[in-house]
Amino acid sequence: MTSRRIISDEKTILDKDDHLSPGSGASQDSSDTAPAVPTDVIMKLLAFTFAMVIVPIGSYFLTVNTIFKGNSTYAGGLAALMANVVLIGYVVVAINEDQTEQLDAKKKAQGKKD
């Protein structure tokens, strides 16, 4: 078997990308360290992820012996229904958040005109 040996003095593509050319207009001093996604969005996603795991499983085990008297089919159906409720809740929260961002942008645009 033969393998290709990498010669250490060759520049790889990654090495070439590390150095900016002087005419590129980019400066290494200015860097944007702001997160790509706001923290409140990440927290909402984590909360709904947690709810998506806990609510259906919890509703199944809470109702299988208490409400449905051992009928796991009905308890499983309720768990599926609760998973859909959590999912619909996430969609509603996401739509409302998007609408508030659009309203804020309109208010800023109107404030600049006045």
Side-chain angles (χ1 to χ4, degrees):
M1 297 184 126
T2 59
S3 62
R4 181 173 180 242
R5 296 179 187 238
I6 299 174
I7 301 171
S8 63
D9 58 335
E10 282 185 4
K11 293 247 183 199
T12 64
I13 293 173
L14 296 174
D15 292 334
K16 291 177 185 176
D17 285 343
D18 287 342
H19 303 289
L20 295 174
S21 61
S24 67
S27 172
Q28 286 183 324
D29 293 336
S30 65
S31 69
D32 185 19
T33 58
V37 179
T39 306
D40 60 328
V41 173
I42 294 173
M43 289 301 161
K44 286 178 191 174
L45 180 63
L46 288 175
F48 276 100
T49 301
F50 182 73
M52 194 66 177
V53 172
I54 298 300
V55 170
I57 295 172
S59 67
Y60 174 82
F61 285 111
L62 286 174
T63 61
V64 72
N65 291 323
T66 57
I67 296 174
F68 298 120
K69 311 263 189 269
N71 190 343
S72 62
T73 303
Y74 291 146
L78 179 67
L81 179 70
M82 295 308 292
N84 285 313
V85 167
V86 172
L87 181 64
I88 290 169
Y90 178 72
V91 170
V92 168
V93 168
I95 289 173
N96 286 339
E97 181 178 333
D98 189 40
Q99 288 176 350
T100 56
E101 288 177 3
Q102 290 175 355
L103 290 174
D104 290 342
K106 284 182 183 178
K107 286 180 183 177
K108 284 184 180 179
Q110 289 177 353
K112 289 181 180 179
K113 288 181 182 178
D114 295 336

